[in-house]
Every structure is written in structure tokens, then in C-alpha cells.
Amino acid sequence: MSLSKPRDMFDREFEWGELTRFAGSSAPRATLGIVSGRRRQGKTFLLDALAVQANGFMFTAVETTEADSLHQFGEALASHLGEPTPFRFASWDEAITRLMRIATDRPKPVVIDEFPFLAKATPALPSLIQRALEPSAQRGNTPVRLLLCGSALSFMGKLLAGSAPLRGRAGLELVVPTLDYRLAREFWGIADLRTAVLTNAIVGGTPAYRREFAQDDAPADATDFDPWVCRTVLNPSRPLFREARYILAEEPDLHDTALYHAVLAAIAEGNNTRGGIAGYLERKSTDLAHPLGVLHDAGLITHETDAFRKNRSAYRIAEPLLTFYHAIMRPAWGDLERPGRAAQVWRRSRHTFDSSVAGPHFEGICRQWARWHAAPDTYGNRYPDRVASGTVSDPEAKKTLQIDVAVFGRDEADRDTLLAIGEAKWQETITHGHLRKLEHIRDLLLKRGEPGAETARLLLFSGTGFSDAIVKRAEEDPTIQLIGLDRLYHGS
């Protein structure tokens, strides 16, 4: 099946290719695919385009009762098949059996969007689909390409896990990700790179935030960024204003939203360890295992092991808009709800934004570049295997030093080895002082016997620039790499 990607679909070549491959499979039996991803990433747009081009069937569920959803499904299926009257299915078992027989002439994609809503009303639905895919049932099936789609990541992840009924049944398990920072800049059409970082620190790579939520209103240039924040994100009449609150409300496993917002607020304040979060909330560290696990399963936070201390880890918010909300909006919510206060709130919050939102976000962009965009010669013609932040103890100074970027690869014996360490500064010009810090950390790692420390490259990232002296030093020494905004966005 050869289907052209719609012209108005930005990027998503990989996802479109996988969907069309699955939909066009020549297998004579019915097959199953799972499509998931956080809300607002364009999953429905992708699947609707697939269904339209391949003359498939798409049903979007809503949160309602079993009887009502079955009624709606019967009407939609009858309409698709050109039946004069709606189907009146007595059960979902009957409905699934009929659905599996609609691809009478060729493979046909069948999409059930918002599948978690149906499964919530009918918990046996995954088992019914499993039974319809059994070899004994396949004799009556046609080559339906059934795609179950949902945004509740914790639920969708469990569909194929462990002893779940559908485990081992899917021929496609596609996660639609957010756009990375390079694609996001292109999607928003922002030419100024510093403005692109600042915008990405608020809205991330979620496509709907530009098209539907901001109605294609993007910062025109660097001077327009502050007015854009006020008229678009901090404006109580715009959808982005309350979106951060709705993100948690839409997750079915997040019942005590006040607790989860408090955990996110702690992380947004810079408390990245479980102990730090517990201290902020004045709770025991053991009390946070469940809420942190739920937020992680929902894709709202990440959990990263320290690069050099395996018993230590850092939690970070995965959705930039949530970080912005908790650092900037939530503390001033009463003022922001009153029209005309946005500019005043933004002026007094701008320093917090630069230090607590944009700065850490820039560090994350630097880690992404080091992992996915840096050329092998950045690391001496070696390839990165993982990238993380980390901490190293300095016994003589009796303090702990932070490493923003630590890059690891594999040596000739396939052992984990350090390739590079890096310092990232969003608002500082990089000087010899930053280089000396990295050299000192490298010496500490060498003394403790860290594999690869003796040849580790030194990466210096800046959102502002580099001193003339450090530029000259880097030109003379290839083990010192300078990465500014132009290289982050356009280079390798």
C-alpha cells in the first residue's frame, strides 16, 4: 500500500512510514497495532490521515457508559459500511466480531482512538480483542489492521506488558514523541536561536501548542518574546493559560492532583532527588515512591541515574509547560487570573524564568545534542552510548561538583567508558575559569579510576558566547570543544 504523507503534516516521516507499512501488510489475517504518546502530539491527526487515504474506519471514543459507547460504535460502523440503519450490538464481543470482517477486498486500517475510555467502561475489552485474534477465530476474520490508540501512557504501556491479554499479539507498538528542540524551532518558524531556546523552554515540542492553542502566534523576533509570553501563555483568555492544570486532570491514574502538583512544584524549584522532594513537601522519602512512580509512568517526569553515583538519581519534569507553570504561573495565579496583570507578573518573574526554567532547559538541550546530534569526531571518532548529568565529590574542598553533561561510550572490549564531560551555561560567557573547572573534575575522575577519564574530551556549552582566549585555546587543542547556539541547532 503506497500512501503519500499529507502535505500539511510536519515531519513524522518515521511514524507515517511505520503506520503505512503496518496498514499495507499482505498478511491474510487480522493484525493488531498499538499507538501511544502524550496528548497534543498529533496521534489523531496521523491516524485520521491514514484512515482517509486508505479508506479505513476510525472511531473516536468518549468517556461514557458501556451501553452508550456500544451504541455510538454501532452507528459509526454502519455509516462507514453504508448500511441504511445503525448496528445494534448486544455486546462488545459481537461488535468486535463484526469489526474483524469488514476488510472484504483488501487490508483495511481500523482505528479505535481514545481506547482507554472504552476499556474503562468495558474492562474485558482487551480480552475480547485477544480472543478475536486467536488462530481459531482468525478463520472468520478479514485482513483488518486494528490500531488501538490512547494518550494515557500508563494504561497503554500495560496493554502489552506482563500477563496482559494482548501481550505478544501486536505487530506494531508505535510511540509518537514530542518534537525535539531542532524540529520544534523549525515547526514554530523561529529564526533567532536564543528566542527558539526560550520558546522551547515553555512549550517544548508539542505541535498542538502552536497550531490550536496559540493559533500560529509565534515570537516574531527576540524583542517580541516577552510580549508573546504575555499575550499567549499568561493570557487567561488563551488555552495555554490553563493547559498545565488540564494535563494532570486528563491522566486517569492521577487521582490526588494536589499531591502530584506539589511533587511537580518541588522538582520545578530545583529539588531533583527523592530526598530533596520529600524535604520540600515535609514528607518521608518512602511516601513518595507511589506518586513519583505514577508521574513517571504517565510520562510527566523522567528518572535519570547519576552518571557517577549509581545510588543517586535525578527527577526532571518531562513537559516544559509544567515546569513553567509551577515556577512562574502557580505562585502568581491569583494575579494572572485578573486581565491586564500578565506584564507585571512577567517582569517580576523574568529572573526566575531565566535561572529556574531556561537555564535547566538549556542544560537538557545540551545533553540531547551530545547524545543525538554530535558528530563522532567530537569524541575522538567514537560514538556515544548514553548521556547523563552527574556529581563528583571533591574530598580536599569538601564539596560536590555538578557535571551538566557526561558522555559515555563503549571501548574495544565493549566496556562502559567516559568519552566527555561538559559544562553548560545559558547566561554566562565561557572563559578559562569554566575550562579549569572541567579539567579539575577530569583529574578527580582520573584519581578515582573512572575508565576513559584520561582521554575524556571537555565540552563547553554557552547560550551567550565564548571569550577570545578560550576560542584560541580550543583552536589549538581539539580535546576542547566549544558548542554555541549555532552548533547546537545546525552543527554536529
Side-chain angles (χ1 to χ4, degrees), residues 2 111 131 177 183 249 320 344 402 414 488:
S2 178
V111 179
R131 189 165 66 185
L183 286 171
Q344 177 187 349
Q402 180 72 37
D414 199 33
L488 280 173

Side-chain angles (χ1 to χ4, degrees), residues 263-283:
V263 171
L264 292 171
I267 299 174
E269 286 281 332
N271 302 286
N272 300 121
T273 65
R274 182 181 292 191
I277 298 168
Y280 180 91
L281 298 179
E282 298 182 354
R283 292 191 176 213

Side-chain angles (χ1 to χ4, degrees), residues 188-405:
W188 279 80
I190 299 174
D192 180 71
L193 300 184
R194 190 170 177 85
T195 303
V197 174
L198 294 173
T199 305
N200 194 251
I202 299 177
V203 294
T206 298
Y209 290 164
R210 179 188 177 181
R211 285 180 170 163
E212 288 85 5
F213 285 59
Q215 296 180 312
D216 287 326
D217 181 0
D221 50 36
T223 62
D224 188 42
F225 176 72
D226 289 345
W228 174 81
V229 172
C230 295
R231 71 176 180 261
T232 306
V233 189
L234 301 182
N235 184 342
S237 69
R238 298 293 183 91
L240 274 174
F241 182 75
R242 293 177 178 81
E243 171 65 5
R245 290 189 164 195
Y246 295 154
I247 289 173
L248 264 65
E250 291 172 338
E251 290 293 333
D253 290 340
L254 273 61
H255 304 297
D256 185 358
T257 56
L259 171 61
Y260 295 108
H261 273 298
V263 171
L264 292 171
I267 299 174
E269 286 281 332
N271 302 286
N272 300 121
T273 65
R274 182 181 292 191
I277 298 168
Y280 180 91
L281 298 179
E282 298 182 354
R283 292 191 176 213
K284 294 180 181 179
S285 180
T286 52
D287 294 342
L288 296 178
H290 179 70
L292 287 171
V294 171
L295 285 169
H296 184 268
D297 290 344
L300 299 179
I301 64 173
T302 61
H303 183 208
E304 179 187 279
T305 301
D306 188 290
F308 302 104
R309 300 166 68 179
K310 305 306 179 187
N311 61 343
R312 180 186 174 96
S313 58
Y315 291 93
R316 294 189 176 88
I317 299 174
E319 172 52 65
L321 190 62
L322 284 174
T323 302
F324 182 81
Y325 168 76
H326 284 285
I328 305 300
M329 299 178 70
R330 193 168 180 242
W333 191 256
D335 285 345
L336 288 171
E337 284 190 305
R338 297 178 63 86
R341 299 292 181 91
Q344 177 187 349
V345 170
W346 183 238
R347 278 195 300 271
R348 69 173 188 250
S349 304
R350 183 59 199 264
H351 175 74
T352 300
F353 171 74
D354 288 330
S355 60
S356 300
V357 180
H361 187 78
F362 178 68
E363 293 173 10
I365 284 177
C366 294
R367 285 189 288 272
Q368 289 181 51
W369 180 89
R371 179 67 178 95
W372 304 112
H373 298 295
D377 60 8
T378 304
Y379 310 119
N381 290 319
R382 293 183 292 179
Y383 293 88
D385 182 65
R386 63 184 177 94
V387 175
S389 62
T391 52
V392 174
S393 296
D394 187 346
E396 292 185 9
K398 296 182 179 179
K399 62 181 180 180
T400 299
L401 300 176
Q402 180 72 37
I403 301 174
D404 299 324
V405 182

Side-chain angles (χ1 to χ4, degrees), residues 19 32-38 42-47 58-61 110-118 146-152 155-156 159 174 176:
L19 286 171
L32 172 69
I34 304 294
V35 179
S36 62
R38 292 193 350 235
K43 300 184 300 299
T44 299
F45 182 61
L46 269 166
L47 294 169
M58 183 167 179
F59 174 71
T60 300
V110 170
V111 179
I112 299 181
D113 197 11
E114 299 294 357
F115 181 72
F117 287 151
L118 290 185
L146 179 60
L147 290 158
L148 306 180
C149 179
S151 301
F155 176 87
M156 297 302 292
L159 276 179
L174 180 66
V176 179

